[in-house]
Amino acid sequence: MAQVGLKEVSKVYPGGIAAVRNVSLEVGDGEFVVLVGPSGCGKSTTLRMIAGLEEVTEGEISIGGRVVNEVPPKDRDIAMVFQNYALYPHMTVYNNMAFGLKLRRYPKAEIDQRVREAARVLEIEELLNRKPKALSGGERQRVALGRAIVRNPQVFLFDEPLSNLDAMLRVQMRAEIEKLHTRLGTTMIYVTHDQVEAMTMGDRIVVMLDGVVQQISTPSELYQKPVNRFVAGFIGSPPMNFLEGRLKSEQGTLRFTSDMGDVALDVHDSHRAALEAHAGQGVLMGIRPEDLLENATQTPVPGRSLTATVEMVEPLGAETYLYLSVDGHSITGRVHADVLPQVASTHVIDLDLSKAHYFDASTGEAIL
Ligand SMILES: Nc1ncnc2c1ncn2[C@@H]1O[C@H](COP(=O)(O)OP(=O)(O)OP(=O)(O)O)[C@@H](O)[C@H]1O
Ligand SMILES: [Mg+2]
């Protein structure tokens, strides 16, 4: 087990592609940290630099307190699991798992003991004599995990290990990896572009965009206090709604008015102090779909309700997604399963404005 530290790490690929810019990160001993962000944001590059598969252009990487910039991958005491499993097709499951240990000249008895123990943990004991092509995707993924586990590394690195699996199996394997983490207590760094995966698995989450870390937080803090517009829109499904507009002070009330149409919403008392200084300025208001509430009497409350045209209704059983149009703005609501309005009808929706987010219109930085 070990801490992993990145100090102002950058990677510029040949051709001048700046894939990772000035990333600093401390992963605690035994922690499960998830790197998440859209395609091309530098997640794999970051992970591959930790593994030693990619050279660091600038900055310092340490594992267990030791700077490893110049240490070759095989001496870093890490194990990596990839998306495509990278199993050896001509070897049995047993040999796939044993291979790395044989290379390192472990005694035969110890190899056997480690492989069988990993197979037991992953429930693949019956598969040990099969070749990869005779396995399902989920089984192959388990073997890839097994190959990492037998090494008993200080750190596990995962690069989208579940993205080749179907939705159900992915949820199951997610739980397996979490159990594995609890059981082994080993430091894990996990890359995914799936924010749901990140939210459910990580002790902490690192959100990246264009090679730059946007925010490092626990899942709940990331959800409740996104530091900028990008994080706010990236985390959460369906995504947060955004309205462009400005703050205006009118007769003692601080009010948000949208640029398009004439949505006017009162700033919640608890936000007023923080927002007052921004009166007269352009802001982006954000409200999550679950903070749209059905107005039971369909009577608009000035400053708090929206009158929306229903464009689409998605009943999901446990809840309903409403796709609404409000004065030319598209807004998504996530409401009680019983709320099933007619398409093209108008519908009054209240907003829980105590949950609203506000961002600087020009920088996208959170104001609250
Ligand atoms: N070997 C390489 N040579 C040049 N550019 C590269 C190389 N590998 C990656 N890049 C570029 O670096 C940037 C980051 O790539 P990276 O693979 O780290 O992204 P990612 O976040 O893992 O994306 P994905 O979710 O698609 O896997 C991209 O712009 C990519 O095109
Ligand atoms: Mg990648």
Side-chain angles (χ1 to χ4, degrees), residues 11-15 17-20 36-48 54 83 159-160 191-193 208 211:
K11 173 70 184 184
V12 182
Y13 282 112
I17 301 157
V20 172
V36 71
S39 185
C41 73
K43 307 178 294 290
S44 294
T45 303
T46 304
L47 204 69
R48 292 171 61 82
E54 212 64 74
Q83 172 178 355
D159 194 351
E160 310 236 14
V191 161
T192 177
H193 62 267
M208 295 181 72

mmCIF file of all heavy atoms in Angstrom, residues 11-15 17-20 36-48 54 83 159-160 191-193 208 211, ligand 1:
data_model
loop_
_atom_site.group_PDB
_atom_site.id
_atom_site.type_symbol
_atom_site.label_atom_id
_atom_site.label_comp_id
_atom_site.label_asym_id
_atom_site.label_seq_id
_atom_site.Cartn_x
_atom_site.Cartn_y
_atom_site.Cartn_z
ATOM 1 N N LYS A 11 2.277 16.898 -19.330
ATOM 2 C CA LYS A 11 2.710 16.024 -20.421
ATOM 3 C C LYS A 11 2.462 16.708 -21.749
ATOM 4 O O LYS A 11 1.330 17.092 -22.053
ATOM 5 C CB LYS A 11 1.907 14.720 -20.381
ATOM 6 C CG LYS A 11 2.167 13.805 -21.564
ATOM 7 C CD LYS A 11 3.561 13.202 -21.499
ATOM 8 C CE LYS A 11 3.876 12.368 -22.725
ATOM 9 N NZ LYS A 11 5.207 11.723 -22.597
ATOM 10 N N VAL A 12 3.525 16.891 -22.501
ATOM 11 C CA VAL A 12 3.400 17.394 -23.865
ATOM 12 C C VAL A 12 3.859 16.273 -24.783
ATOM 13 O O VAL A 12 4.997 15.809 -24.691
ATOM 14 C CB VAL A 12 4.256 18.659 -24.086
ATOM 15 C CG1 VAL A 12 4.072 19.183 -25.504
ATOM 16 C CG2 VAL A 12 3.890 19.739 -23.066
ATOM 17 N N TYR A 13 2.948 15.795 -25.644
ATOM 18 C CA TYR A 13 3.312 14.743 -26.603
ATOM 19 C C TYR A 13 4.082 15.360 -27.760
ATOM 20 O O TYR A 13 3.955 16.556 -28.027
ATOM 21 C CB TYR A 13 2.055 14.052 -27.135
ATOM 22 C CG TYR A 13 1.443 13.050 -26.189
ATOM 23 C CD1 TYR A 13 0.206 13.278 -25.602
ATOM 24 C CD2 TYR A 13 2.100 11.854 -25.901
ATOM 25 C CE1 TYR A 13 -0.371 12.348 -24.747
ATOM 26 C CE2 TYR A 13 1.540 10.915 -25.041
ATOM 27 C CZ TYR A 13 0.302 11.167 -24.470
ATOM 28 O OH TYR A 13 -0.250 10.248 -23.627
ATOM 29 N N PRO A 14 4.829 14.519 -28.465
ATOM 30 C CA PRO A 14 5.514 15.024 -29.664
ATOM 31 C C PRO A 14 4.485 15.697 -30.578
ATOM 32 O O PRO A 14 3.369 15.213 -30.711
ATOM 33 C CB PRO A 14 6.064 13.755 -30.326
ATOM 34 C CG PRO A 14 6.134 12.739 -29.232
ATOM 35 C CD PRO A 14 5.081 13.092 -28.239
ATOM 36 N N GLY A 15 4.870 16.799 -31.149
ATOM 37 C CA GLY A 15 3.923 17.556 -31.962
ATOM 38 C C GLY A 15 3.304 18.682 -31.160
ATOM 39 O O GLY A 15 2.478 19.433 -31.662
ATOM 40 N N ILE A 17 1.341 18.521 -28.437
ATOM 41 C CA ILE A 17 0.012 18.343 -27.837
ATOM 42 C C ILE A 17 0.131 18.328 -26.313
ATOM 43 O O ILE A 17 0.720 17.404 -25.748
ATOM 44 C CB ILE A 17 -0.640 17.029 -28.321
ATOM 45 C CG1 ILE A 17 -0.774 17.051 -29.846
ATOM 46 C CG2 ILE A 17 -1.996 16.796 -27.661
ATOM 47 C CD1 ILE A 17 -0.869 15.684 -30.473
ATOM 48 N N ALA A 18 -0.421 19.365 -25.684
ATOM 49 C CA ALA A 18 -0.381 19.437 -24.222
ATOM 50 C C ALA A 18 -1.545 18.628 -23.676
ATOM 51 O O ALA A 18 -2.671 19.098 -23.621
ATOM 52 C CB ALA A 18 -0.462 20.892 -23.768
ATOM 53 N N ALA A 19 -1.278 17.380 -23.279
ATOM 54 C CA ALA A 19 -2.347 16.472 -22.861
ATOM 55 C C ALA A 19 -2.693 16.651 -21.390
ATOM 56 O O ALA A 19 -3.842 16.473 -20.979
ATOM 57 C CB ALA A 19 -1.939 15.027 -23.124
ATOM 58 N N VAL A 20 -1.705 16.973 -20.571
ATOM 59 C CA VAL A 20 -1.902 17.148 -19.133
ATOM 60 C C VAL A 20 -1.153 18.399 -18.711
ATOM 61 O O VAL A 20 0.001 18.579 -19.077
ATOM 62 C CB VAL A 20 -1.375 15.910 -18.353
ATOM 63 C CG1 VAL A 20 -1.394 16.147 -16.857
ATOM 64 C CG2 VAL A 20 -2.199 14.674 -18.702
ATOM 65 N N VAL A 36 -12.112 11.508 -13.722
ATOM 66 C CA VAL A 36 -13.229 11.509 -14.659
ATOM 67 C C VAL A 36 -13.188 12.760 -15.514
ATOM 68 O O VAL A 36 -12.665 13.803 -15.084
ATOM 69 C CB VAL A 36 -14.573 11.369 -13.884
ATOM 70 C CG1 VAL A 36 -14.922 12.624 -13.109
ATOM 71 C CG2 VAL A 36 -15.729 11.011 -14.812
ATOM 72 N N GLY A 37 -13.727 12.663 -16.710
ATOM 73 C CA GLY A 37 -13.756 13.815 -17.615
ATOM 74 C C GLY A 37 -14.065 13.323 -19.011
ATOM 75 O O GLY A 37 -14.006 12.121 -19.276
ATOM 76 N N PRO A 38 -14.374 14.238 -19.913
ATOM 77 C CA PRO A 38 -14.745 13.841 -21.275
ATOM 78 C C PRO A 38 -13.561 13.256 -22.037
ATOM 79 O O PRO A 38 -12.406 13.388 -21.630
ATOM 80 C CB PRO A 38 -15.221 15.144 -21.911
ATOM 81 C CG PRO A 38 -14.654 16.239 -21.072
ATOM 82 C CD PRO A 38 -14.441 15.692 -19.712
ATOM 83 N N SER A 39 -13.846 12.623 -23.145
ATOM 84 C CA SER A 39 -12.822 12.006 -23.981
ATOM 85 C C SER A 39 -11.732 13.022 -24.338
ATOM 86 O O SER A 39 -12.029 14.153 -24.699
ATOM 87 C CB SER A 39 -13.484 11.470 -25.246
ATOM 88 O OG SER A 39 -12.537 10.781 -25.998
ATOM 89 N N GLY A 40 -10.493 12.599 -24.186
ATOM 90 C CA GLY A 40 -9.373 13.452 -24.582
ATOM 91 C C GLY A 40 -8.908 14.432 -23.517
ATOM 92 O O GLY A 40 -8.022 15.240 -23.768
ATOM 93 N N CYS A 41 -9.472 14.343 -22.304
ATOM 94 C CA CYS A 41 -9.125 15.339 -21.275
ATOM 95 C C CYS A 41 -7.814 15.022 -20.561
ATOM 96 O O CYS A 41 -7.343 15.801 -19.749
ATOM 97 C CB CYS A 41 -10.256 15.497 -20.267
ATOM 98 S SG CYS A 41 -10.412 14.115 -19.144
ATOM 99 N N GLY A 42 -7.229 13.852 -20.854
ATOM 100 C CA GLY A 42 -5.923 13.546 -20.279
ATOM 101 C C GLY A 42 -5.934 12.519 -19.154
ATOM 102 O O GLY A 42 -4.926 12.358 -18.455
ATOM 103 N N LYS A 43 -7.023 11.793 -18.996
ATOM 104 C CA LYS A 43 -7.119 10.805 -17.919
ATOM 105 C C LYS A 43 -6.118 9.673 -18.104
ATOM 106 O O LYS A 43 -5.348 9.358 -17.198
ATOM 107 C CB LYS A 43 -8.539 10.197 -17.861
ATOM 108 C CG LYS A 43 -9.662 11.200 -17.781
ATOM 109 C CD LYS A 43 -11.024 10.525 -17.784
ATOM 110 C CE LYS A 43 -11.386 9.807 -19.068
ATOM 111 N NZ LYS A 43 -11.643 10.694 -20.215
ATOM 112 N N SER A 44 -6.152 9.063 -19.300
ATOM 113 C CA SER A 44 -5.259 7.920 -19.536
ATOM 114 C C SER A 44 -3.805 8.352 -19.475
ATOM 115 O O SER A 44 -2.957 7.629 -18.947
ATOM 116 C CB SER A 44 -5.542 7.285 -20.901
ATOM 117 O OG SER A 44 -6.822 6.722 -20.910
ATOM 118 N N THR A 45 -3.527 9.531 -20.021
ATOM 119 C CA THR A 45 -2.153 10.017 -19.997
ATOM 120 C C THR A 45 -1.670 10.157 -18.551
ATOM 121 O O THR A 45 -0.552 9.751 -18.218
ATOM 122 C CB THR A 45 -2.053 11.370 -20.735
ATOM 123 O OG1 THR A 45 -2.535 11.196 -22.065
ATOM 124 C CG2 THR A 45 -0.629 11.875 -20.770
ATOM 125 N N THR A 46 -2.521 10.708 -17.689
ATOM 126 C CA THR A 46 -2.160 10.863 -16.277
ATOM 127 C C THR A 46 -1.870 9.498 -15.656
ATOM 128 O O THR A 46 -0.848 9.304 -14.993
ATOM 129 C CB THR A 46 -3.308 11.569 -15.517
ATOM 130 O OG1 THR A 46 -3.589 12.806 -16.156
ATOM 131 C CG2 THR A 46 -2.945 11.810 -14.066
ATOM 132 N N LEU A 47 -2.769 8.546 -15.903
ATOM 133 C CA LEU A 47 -2.611 7.215 -15.331
ATOM 134 C C LEU A 47 -1.347 6.533 -15.865
ATOM 135 O O LEU A 47 -0.606 5.890 -15.111
ATOM 136 C CB LEU A 47 -3.850 6.372 -15.672
ATOM 137 C CG LEU A 47 -4.135 5.211 -14.751
ATOM 138 C CD1 LEU A 47 -4.571 5.734 -13.389
ATOM 139 C CD2 LEU A 47 -5.215 4.306 -15.318
ATOM 140 N N ARG A 48 -1.113 6.688 -17.159
ATOM 141 C CA ARG A 48 0.050 6.051 -17.778
ATOM 142 C C ARG A 48 1.361 6.663 -17.288
ATOM 143 O O ARG A 48 2.380 5.977 -17.218
ATOM 144 C CB ARG A 48 -0.062 6.122 -19.300
ATOM 145 C CG ARG A 48 -1.219 5.251 -19.840
ATOM 146 C CD ARG A 48 -1.471 5.493 -21.316
ATOM 147 N NE ARG A 48 -0.288 5.169 -22.116
ATOM 148 C CZ ARG A 48 0.041 3.943 -22.517
ATOM 149 N NH1 ARG A 48 -0.733 2.931 -22.201
ATOM 150 N NH2 ARG A 48 1.116 3.738 -23.222
ATOM 151 N N GLU A 54 4.408 6.242 -19.735
ATOM 152 C CA GLU A 54 4.541 7.497 -20.468
ATOM 153 C C GLU A 54 5.476 8.386 -19.665
ATOM 154 O O GLU A 54 5.362 8.452 -18.437
ATOM 155 C CB GLU A 54 3.141 8.121 -20.556
ATOM 156 C CG GLU A 54 2.849 8.928 -21.775
ATOM 157 C CD GLU A 54 2.875 8.107 -23.059
ATOM 158 O OE1 GLU A 54 1.945 7.333 -23.315
ATOM 159 O OE2 GLU A 54 3.853 8.286 -23.792
ATOM 160 N N GLN A 83 -8.910 -1.393 -20.387
ATOM 161 C CA GLN A 83 -10.232 -1.594 -20.965
ATOM 162 C C GLN A 83 -10.309 -2.867 -21.803
ATOM 163 O O GLN A 83 -11.271 -3.604 -21.767
ATOM 164 C CB GLN A 83 -10.554 -0.380 -21.848
ATOM 165 C CG GLN A 83 -11.812 -0.527 -22.668
ATOM 166 C CD GLN A 83 -12.076 0.735 -23.475
ATOM 167 O OE1 GLN A 83 -11.378 1.722 -23.346
ATOM 168 N NE2 GLN A 83 -13.097 0.694 -24.299
ATOM 169 N N ASP A 159 -7.845 1.636 -16.076
ATOM 170 C CA ASP A 159 -8.213 2.552 -17.154
ATOM 171 C C ASP A 159 -9.472 2.048 -17.846
ATOM 172 O O ASP A 159 -9.413 1.152 -18.680
ATOM 173 C CB ASP A 159 -7.060 2.693 -18.159
ATOM 174 C CG ASP A 159 -7.281 3.888 -19.094
ATOM 175 O OD1 ASP A 159 -8.378 4.480 -19.062
ATOM 176 O OD2 ASP A 159 -6.354 4.222 -19.851
ATOM 177 N N GLU A 160 -10.606 2.589 -17.468
ATOM 178 C CA GLU A 160 -11.911 2.229 -18.034
ATOM 179 C C GLU A 160 -12.085 0.714 -18.125
ATOM 180 O O GLU A 160 -12.410 0.186 -19.187
ATOM 181 C CB GLU A 160 -12.063 2.839 -19.439
ATOM 182 C CG GLU A 160 -11.720 4.319 -19.458
ATOM 183 C CD GLU A 160 -12.836 5.187 -20.006
ATOM 184 O OE1 GLU A 160 -13.975 4.689 -20.126
ATOM 185 O OE2 GLU A 160 -12.568 6.361 -20.258
ATOM 186 N N VAL A 191 -9.802 5.301 -13.743
ATOM 187 C CA VAL A 191 -10.167 6.261 -14.788
ATOM 188 C C VAL A 191 -11.478 5.857 -15.446
ATOM 189 O O VAL A 191 -11.671 4.691 -15.790
ATOM 190 C CB VAL A 191 -9.055 6.324 -15.865
ATOM 191 C CG1 VAL A 191 -9.577 6.929 -17.159
ATOM 192 C CG2 VAL A 191 -7.862 7.115 -15.359
ATOM 193 N N THR A 192 -12.368 6.805 -15.626
ATOM 194 C CA THR A 192 -13.599 6.551 -16.360
ATOM 195 C C THR A 192 -14.101 7.855 -16.966
ATOM 196 O O THR A 192 -13.763 8.930 -16.494
ATOM 197 C CB THR A 192 -14.682 5.943 -15.436
ATOM 198 O OG1 THR A 192 -15.889 5.773 -16.186
ATOM 199 C CG2 THR A 192 -14.989 6.832 -14.240
ATOM 200 N N HIS A 193 -14.899 7.740 -18.041
ATOM 201 C CA HIS A 193 -15.534 8.972 -18.534
ATOM 202 C C HIS A 193 -16.988 9.014 -18.059
ATOM 203 O O HIS A 193 -17.732 9.925 -18.372
ATOM 204 C CB HIS A 193 -15.450 9.059 -20.062
ATOM 205 C CG HIS A 193 -16.171 7.946 -20.742
ATOM 206 N ND1 HIS A 193 -15.559 6.793 -21.115
ATOM 207 C CD2 HIS A 193 -17.461 7.812 -21.057
ATOM 208 C CE1 HIS A 193 -16.458 5.979 -21.643
ATOM 209 N NE2 HIS A 193 -17.621 6.568 -21.623
ATOM 210 N N MET A 208 -11.472 16.344 -14.684
ATOM 211 C CA MET A 208 -10.512 16.972 -15.597
ATOM 212 C C MET A 208 -11.198 17.491 -16.850
ATOM 213 O O MET A 208 -12.210 16.946 -17.283
ATOM 214 C CB MET A 208 -9.424 15.964 -16.009
ATOM 215 C CG MET A 208 -8.542 15.515 -14.864
ATOM 216 S SD MET A 208 -7.261 14.367 -15.421
ATOM 217 C CE MET A 208 -6.181 15.467 -16.329
ATOM 218 N N GLY A 211 -6.951 18.603 -20.041
ATOM 219 C CA GLY A 211 -5.673 18.401 -19.358
ATOM 220 C C GLY A 211 -5.536 19.112 -18.030
ATOM 221 O O GLY A 211 -4.499 19.014 -17.379
HETATM 222 N N1 LIG B 1 0.696 8.985 -27.975
HETATM 223 C C1 LIG B 1 0.125 10.169 -28.187
HETATM 224 N N2 LIG B 1 0.666 11.078 -29.040
HETATM 225 C C2 LIG B 1 0.110 12.279 -29.243
HETATM 226 N N3 LIG B 1 -1.008 12.697 -28.639
HETATM 227 C C3 LIG B 1 -1.617 11.848 -27.776
HETATM 228 C C4 LIG B 1 -1.082 10.545 -27.514
HETATM 229 N N4 LIG B 1 -1.895 9.922 -26.618
HETATM 230 C C5 LIG B 1 -2.888 10.800 -26.355
HETATM 231 N N5 LIG B 1 -2.727 11.958 -27.035
HETATM 232 C C6 LIG B 1 -3.576 13.164 -26.953
HETATM 233 O O1 LIG B 1 -3.545 13.633 -25.636
HETATM 234 C C7 LIG B 1 -4.828 14.056 -25.203
HETATM 235 C C8 LIG B 1 -5.256 13.276 -23.976
HETATM 236 O O2 LIG B 1 -5.404 11.919 -24.308
HETATM 237 P P1 LIG B 1 -5.816 10.809 -23.254
HETATM 238 O O3 LIG B 1 -5.706 9.496 -23.922
HETATM 239 O O4 LIG B 1 -5.024 10.995 -22.015
HETATM 240 O O5 LIG B 1 -7.326 11.198 -22.990
HETATM 241 P P2 LIG B 1 -8.457 10.447 -22.152
HETATM 242 O O6 LIG B 1 -8.978 11.421 -21.163
HETATM 243 O O7 LIG B 1 -7.939 9.164 -21.616
HETATM 244 O O8 LIG B 1 -9.581 10.199 -23.248
HETATM 245 P P3 LIG B 1 -10.579 8.920 -23.466
HETATM 246 O O9 LIG B 1 -11.716 9.107 -22.511
HETATM 247 O O10 LIG B 1 -11.024 9.088 -24.884
HETATM 248 O O11 LIG B 1 -9.807 7.674 -23.235
HETATM 249 C C9 LIG B 1 -5.739 13.875 -26.412
HETATM 250 O O12 LIG B 1 -5.838 15.105 -27.052
HETATM 251 C C10 LIG B 1 -5.025 12.859 -27.249
HETATM 252 O O13 LIG B 1 -5.321 13.036 -28.609
#
